[in-house]
Amino acid sequence: MSIIAEMPMDLYQTLLRPLLFSGLKTDPEWLHQQSLKLLGWLDDSSANQMPWVLTQLERSLSLSDPRLQQQLWGLNFANPMGLAAGFDKDGIAAGLWSRFGFGFAELGTVTLHTQPGNPQPRLFRLPLDQAVLNRMGFNNQGAAALAERLREKEKGKRKKDAENLTPHSALCTSHFSPFPLGINLGKSKITSLEESATDYVGSFRSLKDLGDYFVVNVSSPNTPGLRSLQDKAQLEPILQALQQENVAHKPLLVKIAPDLEWEAIADVIALAQQHQLAGIIATNTTIQRNGLQTERLSTGNPVAQEAGGISGAPVRQRSTEVIRFIYQETKGQLPIIGVGGIFTAEDAWEKITAGASLVQVYTGWVYEGPWMVRRVLEGLLQKLDEQGLKSIQDAVGIGSDAVPSL
């Protein structure tokens, strides 16, 4: 890991990425799981045994500047770049993500019941399109297991503080983490659509003391019927039940699909305002296949015949349009987390100026490598200088006047 921390950033794209993507001919999901195991071991052991590894990681990959700081929902974000849900579903490396330069991270998607997800293979890279197709199906160990893991990490942090005679003070409710951790909630596959509200509330009840904000995921295309929960009649009882359980007033957001019509997005906005949600995440993966250069997957089948959602560059423009629409409709009063196709500082700047207070990455981080966050943050600072702005907050929504493509 220290070797990676010191590696010039261009070597990842010219040497390491080609080796990982094609040279080793490994299944992308297997490689992801092995990487998570390594990061989980590092998260659990290095604080006591190898603190120099964390120091090298942070020094190489992080960038601190007060102009990048954001304050939302009573939480302090050192910068607007977050790790999107889906990368660390079970919180394996939950205490480590700040070392990679992120300003926050979102765990999950987690469901009330443990579930294996969809049959493999279910994760495919589309390098010609700078994209990923996944049909994972919310594979995770369940809400109770995530809660237990996060509590164990908190205990470990308290023990370390006691051994080092360090006063324990939490910046966030997730005490082991130096930055905000969100938790993304999904519906269990075995739960009927009619019982969705009970399912979401069950997960939230197990985790509500362990996350700094929570996300209602009703937009993944990989659980049968889930996207229908974005419909006003089905989403409203879910939000109502969660807010009734949410006595501590944790920030609650909803994550929507890029494929919704404007009228449907307007309905979600109205519900978010009615039920006092903290914000909207725009957007999830797309089921559209238009304009892809990749013709066939490793299965041998045409991409158009393969189920799953596509992330990365193909969703970039649409997600930005959705962000702009939400910002315009709410007059900037409902915070937005923008996600979809961010690879460069320009991509992040477009989403921020369209109306996103925070942004998230996943596919772009896989393609660009661990130095991506620092490089994007450096680019954002340059954008602030060029525009004569004092902070990233000043940039939110300044380009929202453009009309979304209908």
Side-chain angles (χ1 to χ4, degrees), residues 64 98 269 403:
S64 178
S98 64
I269 292 171
V403 178

Side-chain angles (χ1 to χ4, degrees), residues 208-273:
K208 61 184 179 181
D209 296 328
L210 298 163
D212 296 305
Y213 71 87
F214 290 84
V215 181
V216 184
N217 187 344
V218 287
S219 51
S220 170
N222 302 318
T223 296
L226 185 78
R227 281 193 167 194
S228 68
L229 297 179
Q230 294 173 110
D231 181 73
K232 181 178 180 180
Q234 297 198 62
L235 181 57
E236 183 162 23
I238 295 172
L239 299 181
Q240 185 174 19
L242 283 168
Q243 289 293 49
Q244 287 177 352
E245 180 72 22
N246 188 18
V247 294
H249 303 293
K250 288 293 182 73
L252 186 67
L253 296 85
V254 63
K255 186 170 186 175
I256 64 173
D259 310 309
L260 290 179
E261 300 291 338
W262 297 121
E263 183 177 354
I265 297 174
D267 285 343
V268 173
I269 292 171
L271 283 178
Q273 294 172 324

Side-chain angles (χ1 to χ4, degrees), residues 2 25 57 61 83 87 132 141 168 188 190 229 271 296 316 325 345 355 359 370 391 405:
S2 61
K25 298 187 183 303
L57 271 177
L61 305 178
L83 179 67
F87 199 97
V132 166
Q141 298 170 9
H168 182 78
S188 305
I190 64 172
L229 297 179
L271 283 178
R296 294 180 181 272
R316 179 188 298 139
F325 179 81
V359 294
S391 72
S405 301

Side-chain angles (χ1 to χ4, degrees), residues 288-307:
Q288 299 297 320
R289 301 291 190 266
N290 300 333
L292 293 178
Q293 297 184 53
T294 303
E295 296 181 356
R296 294 180 181 272
L297 297 185
S298 57
T299 60
N301 298 326
V303 175
Q305 295 179 10
E306 294 279 7

Side-chain angles (χ1 to χ4, degrees), residues 162-384:
E163 291 173 349
N164 296 335
L165 301 178
T166 303
H168 182 78
S169 61
L171 298 178
C172 308
T173 57
S174 39
H175 299 306
F176 60 88
S177 173
F179 73 167
L181 281 178
I183 298 178
N184 188 294
L185 308 175
K187 184 190 77 69
S188 305
K189 187 175 183 179
I190 64 172
T191 300
S192 68
L193 293 175
E194 292 74 21
E195 296 296 321
S196 296
T198 301
D199 193 87
Y200 279 100
V201 169
S203 295
F204 179 69
R205 187 174 291 134
S206 295
L207 293 159
K208 61 184 179 181
D209 296 328
L210 298 163
D212 296 305
Y213 71 87
F214 290 84
V215 181
V216 184
N217 187 344
V218 287
S219 51
S220 170
N222 302 318
T223 296
L226 185 78
R227 281 193 167 194
S228 68
L229 297 179
Q230 294 173 110
D231 181 73
K232 181 178 180 180
Q234 297 198 62
L235 181 57
E236 183 162 23
I238 295 172
L239 299 181
Q240 185 174 19
L242 283 168
Q243 289 293 49
Q244 287 177 352
E245 180 72 22
N246 188 18
V247 294
H249 303 293
K250 288 293 182 73
L252 186 67
L253 296 85
V254 63
K255 186 170 186 175
I256 64 173
D259 310 309
L260 290 179
E261 300 291 338
W262 297 121
E263 183 177 354
I265 297 174
D267 285 343
V268 173
I269 292 171
L271 283 178
Q273 294 172 324
Q274 177 185 343
H275 293 280
Q276 299 180 318
L277 296 195
I280 294 178
I281 298 185
T283 62
N284 213 317
T285 58
T286 181
I287 57 174
Q288 299 297 320
R289 301 291 190 266
N290 300 333
L292 293 178
Q293 297 184 53
T294 303
E295 296 181 356
R296 294 180 181 272
L297 297 185
S298 57
T299 60
N301 298 326
V303 175
Q305 295 179 10
E306 294 279 7
I310 289 181
S311 60
V315 78
R316 179 188 298 139
Q317 180 178 348
R318 177 59 182 176
S319 65
T320 302
E321 291 172 350
V322 172
I323 291 165
R324 185 174 290 115
F325 179 81
I326 296 170
Y327 189 89
Q328 291 174 346
E329 290 291 299
T330 63
K331 297 180 173 56
Q333 297 304 302
L334 188 65
I336 303 165
I337 299 179
V339 55
I342 296 175
F343 286 71
T344 67
E346 185 65 36
D347 299 333
W349 183 255
E350 285 181 356
K351 284 180 166 47
I352 291 169
T353 57
S357 295
L358 302 169
V359 294
Q360 291 177 329
V361 297
Y362 182 159
T363 302
W365 196 57
V366 172
Y367 273 85
E368 296 297 302
W371 298 269
M372 174 198 176
V373 176
R374 180 175 185 134
R375 187 176 68 249
V376 170
L377 294 177
E378 289 172 344
L380 290 179
L381 289 173
Q382 183 177 345
K383 292 284 187 183
L384 292 178

